[in-house]
Amino acid sequence: MIADIGTIVWKELKELITQKPNLRGGWVGLLVFLGVFGVLMPVQMGEAWVEQPTVLVYWLWVPFLMVSTVVADSFAGERERHTLETLLASRLSDRAILFGKLASAVIYGWGLTMVSVILGVITVNVVNGQGRLLFFPPEIAVAIFVLTLLVALLSAGIGVLISLRAPTVRQAQQTMGIVGLAPLIPLLLIPIVPQETQIQIANTLMQMDLFMIVMGIFVLLLVVDIVLILLAMARFQRAKLILD
Amino acid sequence: MYAISTDRLTRDFASVRAVDNLTLEVPFGTVFGFLGPNGAGKTTTIRLLLGLLEPTSGTAAVLGRDIQSQADEIRERCGALLEYNGLYERMSAEDNLEFYGRVWKLSPAERKNRAEELLKHFGLWDRRKDLARDWSRGMKQKLAIARTLLHKPELVFLDEPTAGLDPVAAVSLREDLAGLAGMNRTTIFLNTHNLGEAEKLCNQVGVIRKGKLVAVGSVEELRSSSGKPQATISGSNFSELGLSMIRQNPDVAGVTLNGKQLTIELKRPIDVAPLVSQLVANGAMIEEVRKGQASLEDVFLTLMNEEQELEVES
């Protein structure tokens, strides 16, 4: 099973790498992404990029975005390009195919996030270091490492369920885009919340222990991820996929 | 023991019965042609035999394995070129084979050697580094067949392998398939509505219509059971008097005039020279006379018409 998952991962990453470079995807898209999150933003924010807990918001959103760009193509695209049935007619099990596809989307999204994190740390140190080593506080570093992985898995899980229902890759990507923007809705609502309430929320958040917040997010993501994977396993079955 | 054996295999989709009580036996080493018009149930049959779909009722065994409880083992030992070629167009031909070599758990050396052997056999070796999307349809189809054969399967399912190809590519692919059939003792289950293809490649054929198997046997058996000896006469000025005289001949089963072509169906093989003389005596201008048995196409059309008539009657 592990070897079969590895085979699917090999194929998925190979397809990603050999995509024609263009502005929407491929190498140009990757360079733009790394330039923004690995260089531009760290330069703009300076030391705050590695010291303030608020950077977690960026790092939780980034893997979601990156995974969502590939997961729809991996599932809906395979069906749209008529390669899925041949794959299903092979000796690979449903689970090996599903987990291989999930793993490759997560490796891609989370891997790029980690590269951006490292590049950002290097950039901040080069620009603002002045002989000191600037790095995240330990809780933030662990949170970035673990939570981004869970967010990548969350995006992959949502992506599978959306892709299996969407008739085309484009529609799956559009739906994923809308889902990706959903976490930003609370931020958009802040201006309409009374100032008094805003202050109350800010005070409550300030008083909360960072470790507890991270643990809360960790447990929530873990539970949601497990539920999504179980749903994906129930949905990703040969007989159902052939009939789609 | 048979490579494929089905017993009243049935599959419904809502109110449509795609495969209807299919009972069939395909011996090992056979090239079996499954003939039928579009929508006859050929693709559904392959999907059932590969365990990709569950039957509504009935049973089937492929390579001695039950299609419901041992589908994984069946897929392990079979190769399939389905309705679409299933190639990854963003990958090179070499990578497509490399991927499926990994899927079939071939060792790196086996993958390399087998890919080289097949790509050379199909004349694709020089372009192995090209992305599959840059290839012609015929080349892609050959690559898909190479992929299907990569792991030396005991049974190969081919679903309309020459559909959509230009005549040159189709002939070339058919030659490759004929070579493949002769090369190993691989059993081939070939879905096709191309009767010439079936006639050339298959030693057994089954005819399916609306999910029902209406005939099965060798091409010769089908000809002798459904097709009668006939004479095809090309020419002009066929008079009604001349045709009615031919119809009255006790050895003639039927006469059909289609433009400049007259087909005389015979009850038994006889000398047709007297019939030709009668036509000439009644003013016909004869260009060519061909004697022979009905082609598979004639047999197929006869079977389709007979089934349709039975349906109308019932």
Side-chain angles (χ1 to χ4, degrees), chain B:
Chain B
M1 197 157 125
Y2 294 96
I4 298 170
S5 145
T6 70
D7 182 20
R8 284 167 290 160
L9 190 67
T10 301
R11 171 70 202 205
D12 295 335
F13 292 110
S15 59
V16 178
R17 177 150 288 188
V19 176
D20 190 356
N21 282 295
L22 178 71
T23 299
L24 183 70
E25 281 166 344
V26 178
F28 277 101
T30 307
V31 180
F32 184 85
F34 205 38
L35 302 174
N38 290 335
K42 304 188 297 290
T43 298
T44 304
T45 302
I46 286 190
R47 287 174 170 175
L48 287 166
L49 295 176
L50 280 168
L52 299 175
L53 281 177
E54 293 199 348
T56 306
S57 64
T59 57
V62 175
L63 302 172
R65 268 80 175 162
D66 179 73
I67 59 163
Q68 283 183 277
S69 59
Q70 295 169 299
D72 291 345
E73 289 177 49
I74 291 171
R75 287 190 291 268
E76 184 118 31
R77 297 167 63 190
C78 292
L81 169 56
L82 303 170
E83 201 175 355
Y84 297 96
N85 61 42
L87 295 173
Y88 294 100
E89 302 222 334
R90 294 185 294 204
M91 282 164 48
S92 69
E94 205 171 39
D95 284 340
N96 268 280
L97 295 187
E98 170 69 17
F99 169 58
Y100 273 95
R102 287 170 184 239
V103 166
W104 296 109
K105 289 188 167 175
L106 302 183
S107 70
E110 277 177 310
R111 293 200 293 266
K112 189 174 171 293
N113 293 338
R114 190 78 178 128
E116 184 175 343
E117 181 191 340
L118 287 164
L119 288 172
K120 282 183 174 167
H121 174 80
F122 286 108
L124 304 170
W125 178 248
D126 293 340
R127 293 191 59 188
R128 65 191 182 279
K129 304 272 182 205
D130 294 359
L131 296 185
R133 68 172 161 221
D134 297 331
W135 281 17
S136 70
R137 204 179 157 93
M139 289 169 75
K140 285 180 191 173
Q141 205 68 350
K142 285 187 175 191
L143 178 60
I145 290 178
R147 180 203 61 213
T148 307
L149 303 175
L150 195 63
H151 57 296
K152 298 184 178 168
E154 292 165 62
L155 170 61
V156 175
F157 291 97
L158 301 172
D159 193 357
E160 308 270 7
T162 57
L165 296 185
D166 65 68
V168 176
V171 166
S172 164
L173 190 60
R174 257 174 230 133
E175 279 167 8
D176 286 329
L177 289 175
L180 158 73
M183 209 162 32
N184 309 311
R185 285 267 301 158
T186 309
T187 308
I188 300 176
F189 189 94
L190 173 72
N191 270 5
T192 183
H193 57 224
N194 186 313
L195 302 163
E197 189 168 284
E199 204 155 14
K200 185 172 180 189
L201 297 175
C202 304
N203 34 36
Q204 286 272 314
V205 290
V207 180
I208 185 172
R209 183 176 182 273
K210 291 192 176 175
K212 282 186 182 165
L213 188 69
V214 293
V216 66
S218 68
V219 174
E220 284 310 312
E221 281 168 351
L222 286 190
R223 274 181 179 153
S224 57
S225 65
S226 304
K228 298 178 180 75
Q230 64 179 34
T232 309
I233 300 171
S234 303
S236 56
N237 286 353
F238 294 111
S239 67
E240 197 43 54
L241 179 64
L243 294 179
S244 71
M245 285 173 77
I246 298 290
R247 283 192 190 101
Q248 282 164 17
N249 188 310
D251 290 322
V252 172
V255 176
T256 317
L257 180 63
N258 190 4
K260 291 182 77 177
Q261 186 165 301
L262 179 70
T263 306
I264 305 173
E265 267 189 60
L266 303 167
K267 290 177 183 166
R268 61 187 182 90
I270 56 161
D271 183 6
V272 295
L275 301 177
V276 176
S277 299
Q278 272 184 324
L279 288 169
V280 172
N282 284 285
M285 312 275 279
I286 307 296
E287 289 171 19
E288 187 187 9
V289 179
R290 274 186 291 126
K291 250 180 90 176
Q293 281 218 300
S295 65
L296 187 57
E297 187 168 345
D298 298 323
V299 175
F300 180 77
L301 291 173
T302 306
L303 285 166
M304 293 294 123
N305 289 337
E306 280 172 5
E307 280 296 305
Q308 206 157 13
E309 280 164 17
L310 280 173
E311 263 174 33
V312 171
E313 278 171 23
S314 64

Side-chain angles (χ1 to χ4, degrees), chain A residues 95-138:
Chain A
R95 286 188 183 179
I97 298 171
L98 172 68
F99 290 143
K101 284 178 171 288
L102 282 172
S104 55
V106 169
I107 288 169
Y108 175 83
W110 185 66
L112 276 175
T113 305
M114 288 297 107
V115 171
S116 307
V117 168
I118 293 164
L119 195 59
V121 169
I122 293 169
T123 303
V124 168
N125 276 280
V126 168
V127 177
N128 307 91
Q130 295 168 339
R132 298 167 300 154
L133 175 65
L134 300 172
F135 196 67
F136 303 102

Side-chain angles (χ1 to χ4, degrees), chain A residues 56 60 139-140 142-144 146-147 150 208-224:
Chain A
L56 255 181
L60 292 185
E139 315 94 293
I140 300 292
V142 172
I144 287 174
V146 177
L147 295 185
L150 291 176
M208 282 175 77
D209 181 11
L210 181 63
F211 178 76
M212 291 308 290
I213 294 174
V214 169
M215 279 307 289
I217 297 172
F218 171 80
V219 172
L220 179 71
L221 283 174
L222 191 64
V223 170
V224 174

